[in-house]
Every structure is written in C-alpha cells, then in structure tokens.
Amino acid sequence: MSVFKDYSNYYDLLYNDKDYASEVEYIHSLIQAECPKAKTILNLGCGTGKHDFLLAQKGYNITAVDLSSTMIDIAKKNNESDHIEFSIGDIRSLKLDSKFDVVISMFHVMSYQVEDADLNAAFSTAKTHLKEDGVFIFDCWNATGVLSDPPHKRVKNVENENMKIHRKTTPISLPEKNCVDVIFDIEISNKETDESFEISETHRMRYLFPEELQTAGKNAGLQMAKSYKWLTTKTPEHSDWYSLYIFR
C-alpha cells in the first residue's frame, strides 16, 4: 500500500477546505450516543492528525497510527497536546498492548483496504484493540453511490504564501475489483523562485457494499450496529457516495 509518499508533503494544503471541525463534532456526538463514558480512542489511519487534535480538545486520550512516515512526522511536528501519541503503523497488522473505548478510521481509510484479506485484517485490528463494550466507527465509499454516479475527472488549484498547487484527478474504474484507481497528477510551483515540479501517485480505492462489511465484521467477531449517511444520522440512500458505520 505504497501511497502518500511525496503527496503527504502537500496533503494539508490540498485539503485546507476540509471541515475537520464539523467532522469531529459529528464523531464526538456518535461516541457520546454509543459509548458515553469513552475516554480513549485508537485512530487507524490518522494522516496528519487533524481529527486527533480536535478530538483531544474534547477530552479524549488518543493513540493515532498511520502507515505513512511523512504523515506521522507532520502530525508530530504540529502536535501540542499531551493527550495524543502518534506512531507509524500498518492497520492490518498493528498490535498494541492497550485496549480502547473507541476505534475510529476516518476519511475513507477502509476504502484503501482493496483486498478482502486487507479488510478482514483491519477489522481484526479494530476488534483486538476494543474494550468489551467498545465501538468501531469508520466511513468509506458506498458502493451503490459510486456505481450510480461514477467518479469523473477533477481539477483543484490551491495556494499559500509559498507555493501554488495544481492537481488533476483522473479516475479509472475497475469494476471487476469493485475499485477505482484515482490518479493524482500534481504540479507544485514555488512562488518565490517560479520553479516548478510534478509528482504523480495512484491511489486504488474500493467501494464497499454493506454485505461485505457485515462479513468482515463477522469474521472479526464484530456486529454492525448502525449505518448512516455521512455527517448525518439518516439511513444511507442508494445515491449517497459516503457512508459511516458503527460496529460493536
């Protein structure tokens, strides 16, 4: 799963329009509803730690892992909380000596588990690290939404005081695998020197059916408790691209 290499260095700027605060309020509300005494969280696939910083402000103690060493370096550099521990880790094989009230996995990390073995291993990791009454909360690409409204090419331009970034996103559907290869072609321009360079990464993303998730949960000893349209407590509709699931 060799993604988020050079891309990691520009991740926060590319997603500077992402509403982390609203997402954390949403996750916090779900935790309070499902596990109101929760104090500890394990975050599988934490990226640069934006969710974790805000969750720590809610009073949680967080252990956060990511496969990308660059992402973890950025998260550690920006961390000012004593309530977060960041480390490099593969969510398919992670083994810690602690159990947690809640395990979360945000921003489609589960959709990066493109093989059944990957998905089963990630669920097993969640189960292994959950306390008896704990909950596993994650979001992913909803298969019926992706199939009814296939991804298309996109262009995004962002900048700060130092650089400009032009990102072209090209999807290639792989229906036989229930996946999409998302190709990111990125041009980075230095505003001071006018120098520029390009990077390219391909991220294979899997769209998931509820039945697949139920099977992965059953294999790990977890049961689907609820499913929601992302950022709501409504039942996912056929056309919704993103769903959130709660397993116990």
Side-chain angles (χ1 to χ4, degrees):
M1 207 176 298
S2 56
V3 295
F4 294 111
K5 291 182 178 178
D6 297 328
Y7 190 72
S8 303
N9 293 307
Y10 311 101
Y11 182 88
D12 282 341
L13 180 55
L14 281 163
Y15 293 104
N16 65 355
D17 56 349
K18 184 174 174 62
D19 192 350
Y20 286 95
S22 292
E23 293 183 9
V24 166
E25 287 294 338
Y26 176 55
I27 297 303
H28 175 59
S29 69
L30 295 177
I31 292 173
Q32 291 301 298
E34 300 294 330
C35 193
K37 296 182 180 180
K39 294 296 182 184
T40 59
I41 296 175
L42 172 62
N43 186 1
L44 301 177
C46 64
T48 58
K50 291 292 189 70
H51 289 117
D52 306 289
F53 302 144
L54 294 170
L55 284 166
Q57 293 176 11
K58 300 288 187 186
Y60 299 107
N61 293 307
I62 303 160
T63 298
V65 299
D66 200 279
L67 188 60
S68 168
S69 59
T70 309
M71 291 283 203
I72 291 297
D73 287 343
I74 294 169
K76 286 181 175 179
K77 181 180 178 181
N78 293 331
N79 183 26
E80 296 180 353
S81 174
D82 295 329
H83 298 281
I84 310 173
E85 181 180 349
F86 290 107
S87 62
I88 300 168
D90 188 331
I91 70 169
R92 298 166 297 182
S93 58
L94 184 71
K95 295 187 185 302
L96 304 175
D97 292 330
S98 301
K99 290 186 179 289
F100 301 83
D101 299 312
V102 180
V103 175
I104 65 171
S105 190
M106 296 289 100
F107 206 5
H108 324 316
V109 169
M110 287 298 116
S111 285
Y112 279 90
Q113 314 312 309
V114 296
E115 302 290 344
D116 286 344
D118 300 323
L119 190 64
N120 287 333
F123 266 76
S124 180
T125 295
K127 167 63 175 177
T128 298
H129 293 90
L130 272 177
K131 293 181 181 178
E132 185 175 349
D133 295 324
V135 293
F136 177 32
I137 301 173
F138 65 90
D139 67 318
C140 63
W141 283 17
N142 178 35
T144 58
V146 175
L147 292 173
S148 64
D149 180 22
H152 54 273
K153 293 182 179 180
R154 296 178 183 273
V155 171
K156 187 171 188 177
N157 294 293
V158 295
E159 64 181 286
N160 60 17
E161 63 275 11
N162 301 315
M163 70 182 77
K164 292 182 179 180
I165 298 179
H166 173 81
R167 184 184 71 181
K168 181 174 69 173
T169 304
T170 305
I172 299 176
S173 294
L174 304 170
E176 72 282 2
K177 295 182 178 293
N178 286 358
C179 290
V180 178
D181 275 352
V182 182
I183 302 171
F184 293 120
D185 292 306
I186 304 172
E187 181 180 1
I188 299 100
S189 301
N190 186 306
K191 294 170 76 170
E192 293 183 356
T193 65
D194 289 330
E195 295 177 333
S196 64
F197 62 95
E198 297 179 356
I199 61 174
S200 181
E201 286 191 10
T202 299
H203 294 211
R204 180 161 292 184
M205 305 292 292
R206 178 179 182 177
Y207 43 88
L208 288 154
F209 292 92
E211 295 79 9
E212 293 177 299
L213 296 170
Q214 287 175 327
T215 298
K218 183 178 179 180
N219 291 339
L222 293 169
Q223 184 174 6
M224 185 186 295
K226 294 176 181 175
S227 62
Y228 294 131
K229 176 180 179 179
W230 175 239
L231 291 180
T232 77
T233 52
K234 298 178 181 177
T235 301
E237 296 181 1
H238 181 83
S239 59
D240 291 329
W241 250 70
Y242 308 124
S243 295
L244 177 135
Y245 292 89
I246 301 173
F247 277 72
R248 290 187 172 276

